[in-house]
Amino acid sequence: MGKLYISNAGDSRAIIVKGKDYIAMSTDFTPVLERRRLQHIAELHPQLLSDEFTHLEFQKRVQRKDIGKKLLYRDGNMVGWAYKEITENDLKFPLVYGEGKRARMLATIGVTRGFGDHELKVHGTDIFIKPFLTPAPEVKIYNIFEYDHSENDVLVMGSDGLWDILSSEAVTEICHEVLESFPPGDYKRYASAAQELAMAARGVLKDNGWRTKEGKSGSGDDITVWVIPLCHHTGLLSPQNSLTESNQAVPYIDSEDM
């Protein structure tokens, strides 16, 4: 009792916002983060890559003119880099390619954990994605009763459309500003915080598309945000102002994507 379990199998994210600080409650599972796991699977079962991909990662995209030269590479057993003489076989497309959010597994998908996608294949091939895409989640536990919570302490969960644009620090800052602007006991603060986060990630429609207040491109992905109060579980809000159990979590789903 009194424990919050956060289970994540994808690139959504959850953080607990306490004042101006936050606690990370999930990991974004991307091809770069799970490179070694993916490479290990491919090394044990090379038939999964057919003859199209290589499990090796090189510091630069290998070209035919590099054959015979020595380039830096690494496999699933390596943290650092070593030199390898390039052969014809190294011209295959890498299992993991790209950096950060642009990284792709098998040139197809930007996540490495998730449900479904059993029939998903690399375009134009018979190579299945599913052997590398695991549904096994990461589970983190937060003991609610180990901490004192105010009505401005919340759990924020969001899809990658939010986190592609806003960092955990930016989300914490926005939540803090919005929640502090409401009088004590006003639970509408949670819906307002969720809406503010979604709008900050989407931006404003201008002549050159959706733009954030910093002038950068807004999110083109779906944006789903939940802002969930933690203090209800410790009775800090009065019963008349508390939401019912089914409504304690206030979601915001961007209507643009429905």
Side-chain angles (χ1 to χ4, degrees):
M1 296 292 292
K3 292 184 178 180
L4 178 64
Y5 293 83
I6 303 295
S7 179
N8 180 46
D11 61 351
S12 295
R13 189 185 304 175
I15 64 173
I16 287 177
V17 175
K18 288 178 59 64
K20 295 182 179 181
D21 299 317
Y22 74 91
I23 301 171
M25 293 301 297
S26 66
T27 302
D28 302 348
F29 289 107
T30 64
V32 172
L33 179 69
E34 295 213 279
R35 172 190 64 84
R36 295 182 67 184
R37 179 182 71 82
L38 301 174
Q39 289 179 315
H40 187 62
I41 293 173
E43 197 169 4
L44 292 176
H45 306 283
Q47 72 278 6
L48 295 176
L49 299 180
S50 185
D51 203 35
E52 302 286 336
F53 293 86
T54 175
H55 71 281
L56 299 180
E57 179 187 11
F58 293 89
Q59 276 202 337
K60 55 164 284 190
R61 182 74 172 95
V62 178
Q63 302 179 26
R64 184 164 295 277
K65 65 181 181 180
D66 295 319
I67 294 178
K69 297 179 182 179
K70 290 187 176 181
L71 297 180
L72 288 170
Y73 86 104
R74 60 185 177 184
D75 61 23
N77 299 311
M78 301 165 62
V79 176
W81 300 83
Y83 279 102
K84 179 187 184 301
E85 185 173 325
I86 301 302
T87 66
E88 183 85 19
N89 202 47
D90 297 321
L91 297 178
K92 297 175 183 177
F93 204 81
L95 169 62
V96 175
Y97 185 72
E99 296 294 333
K101 284 291 185 179
R102 296 183 179 275
R104 291 293 179 267
M105 176 178 67
L106 294 171
T108 303
I109 192 169
V111 295
T112 53
R113 301 198 188 194
F115 300 107
D117 290 322
H118 294 281
E119 301 303 319
L120 181 62
K121 296 181 181 180
V122 176
H123 180 70
T125 75
D126 286 324
I127 300 174
F128 283 96
I129 301 293
K130 193 59 181 179
F132 300 95
L133 185 68
T134 176
E138 172 196 55
V139 179
K140 290 190 176 183
I141 303 172
Y142 178 79
N143 193 331
I144 294 177
F145 296 130
E146 279 189 4
Y147 305 90
D148 292 327
H149 295 104
S150 75
E151 57 187 346
N152 292 336
D153 294 337
V154 294
L155 169 68
V156 179
M157 297 190 296
S159 63
D160 59 336
L162 173 72
W163 305 106
D164 284 350
I165 304 299
L166 301 178
S167 65
S168 296
E169 291 80 6
V171 166
T172 300
E173 182 179 349
I174 292 172
C175 276
H176 178 71
E177 291 179 357
V178 173
L179 297 174
E180 287 287 341
S181 69
F182 281 81
D186 190 342
Y187 61 77
K188 292 189 292 295
R189 68 185 68 219
Y190 308 117
S192 294
Q195 291 171 344
E196 192 68 28
L197 290 171
M199 290 188 292
R202 175 66 79 196
V204 177
L205 183 59
K206 298 187 176 181
D207 293 339
N208 56 346
W210 291 92
R211 296 287 164 179
T212 66
K213 66 179 182 179
E214 293 82 14
K216 299 179 180 179
S217 296
S219 178
D221 205 345
D222 64 280
I223 306 171
T224 301
V225 187
W226 294 77
V227 176
I228 305 171
L230 298 177
C231 63
H232 289 276
H233 301 280
T234 53
L236 293 183
L237 289 185
S238 60
Q240 62 267 30
N241 285 331
S242 295
L243 297 175
T244 63
E245 182 177 352
S246 62
N247 287 327
Q248 279 189 348
V250 182
Y252 178 84
I253 301 177
D254 193 341
S255 60
E256 293 282 337
D257 300 291
M258 295 186 65

